[in-house]
Amino acid sequence: MNDDVRNIVLGVVAAGLSAALGWLARTYLWKRKLRRKQAFFGLPDNSESLLVVNREAGGAELSVMRHDVFALLELSALIKDCGAHAQVIAHDAAQQGFGERTEFCVGGPSSNRRMAAHLHSLLPGIRVNVDPEPGPDRGAFQIGSERYRLEPGKGEYVILARLTAGNTARPVFLFCGQRAITNQAATRYVARNHERLARKHGNNSFVILLKVVNSQAYGPDVVELVADVTRASQTPLPAVPARISHRAS
């Protein structure tokens, strides 16, 4: 074997080794990223999860708002990416505790009994005005001493929460919005920002308040983080009157 042939063989071997090492490195990084995502959502390989479906307020029992359907599609894609499976269940049929399976609960308490139960039991510092009569506080959130009013199409709020009952329990995710489009905005937000949320909160419980800005023009895409309201939402509401929060769009 002359020098030219030997150099060609060595080059091919080196290229093969580099490609193999590169593939192994990419596979390792991809798997590590996947494991972190699975840990945050509580969705190991082949695990089961619940998608708790609300209903359109004032509509038929199985009627679901269009944007809530989009929210469920966002969550279904996320669950599939984790290699897990989802069971869709109606809000009034989910008569069980939580912690055995990851749960994604979509919709406000007026259209989702399961959400109402979670807010009452787990987040006593949050109150949602479910009065069907028109008025300035219709649909408003009260969180601690702050009140967040609904401005349809301009400024709308949604609560995004990850709650656990212990280190070994699977989490429950709440997407509690003032309108259906805000539920979709929150599911899209968590799908896009789960890595940042995991770095900040780890696998602990958290509750954040998001604001959907000018949805009549931008749909569910422009979302602002208003505040981390974990402590306020877990503290029973004070007896003093709430202040009105005027946030710029």
Side-chain angles (χ1 to χ4, degrees), residues 110-138:
S110 63
S111 63
N112 189 321
R113 296 179 191 173
R114 181 79 168 173
M115 180 66 73
H118 286 323
L119 293 179
H120 177 76
S121 301
L122 306 175
L123 301 177
I126 295 178
R127 182 175 298 154
V128 181
N129 189 322
V130 295
D131 189 349
E133 296 299 322
D137 286 334
R138 182 181 180 183

Side-chain angles (χ1 to χ4, degrees), residues 100-170:
E100 295 183 3
R101 291 184 286 180
T102 295
E103 177 183 335
F104 300 91
C105 191
V106 177
S110 63
S111 63
N112 189 321
R113 296 179 191 173
R114 181 79 168 173
M115 180 66 73
H118 286 323
L119 293 179
H120 177 76
S121 301
L122 306 175
L123 301 177
I126 295 178
R127 182 175 298 154
V128 181
N129 189 322
V130 295
D131 189 349
E133 296 299 322
D137 286 334
R138 182 181 180 183
F141 290 165
Q142 183 179 338
I143 305 175
S145 59
E146 294 280 347
R147 184 171 295 159
Y148 300 89
R149 283 177 170 168
L150 167 66
E151 297 180 83
K154 297 179 180 180
E156 300 143 321
Y157 295 95
V158 56
I159 296 163
L160 168 60
R162 180 190 191 275
L163 305 172
T164 59
N167 293 333
T168 60
R170 299 283 175 83

Side-chain angles (χ1 to χ4, degrees), residues 12 15 38 43 73 114 121 131 135 164 166 197 206 216 220 224 235:
V12 171
Q38 290 175 323
L43 294 171
L73 291 175
R114 181 79 168 173
S121 301
D131 189 349
T164 59
L197 292 170
F206 66 83
Q216 62 187 353
E224 296 177 353
T235 304

Side-chain angles (χ1 to χ4, degrees), residues 31-43:
K31 286 186 176 180
R32 186 174 67 172
K33 184 177 181 181
L34 175 61
R35 297 303 177 221
R36 289 176 176 175
K37 184 176 182 179
Q38 290 175 323
F40 177 76
F41 288 108
L43 294 171

Side-chain angles (χ1 to χ4, degrees), residues 178-225:
Q178 292 178 326
R179 296 178 66 211
I181 195 170
T182 63
N183 298 330
Q184 183 189 0
T187 58
R188 185 169 295 183
Y189 181 91
V190 77
R192 292 176 175 175
N193 296 280
H194 64 86
E195 292 182 358
R196 182 176 60 81
L197 292 170
R199 285 194 298 269
K200 181 175 181 180
H201 302 284
N203 293 330
N204 300 315
S205 297
F206 66 83
V207 186
I208 59 176
L209 181 67
L210 304 173
K211 183 177 183 180
V212 182
V213 179
N214 200 4
S215 64
Q216 62 187 353
Y218 304 125
D221 289 330
V222 181
V223 178
E224 296 177 353
L225 173 61

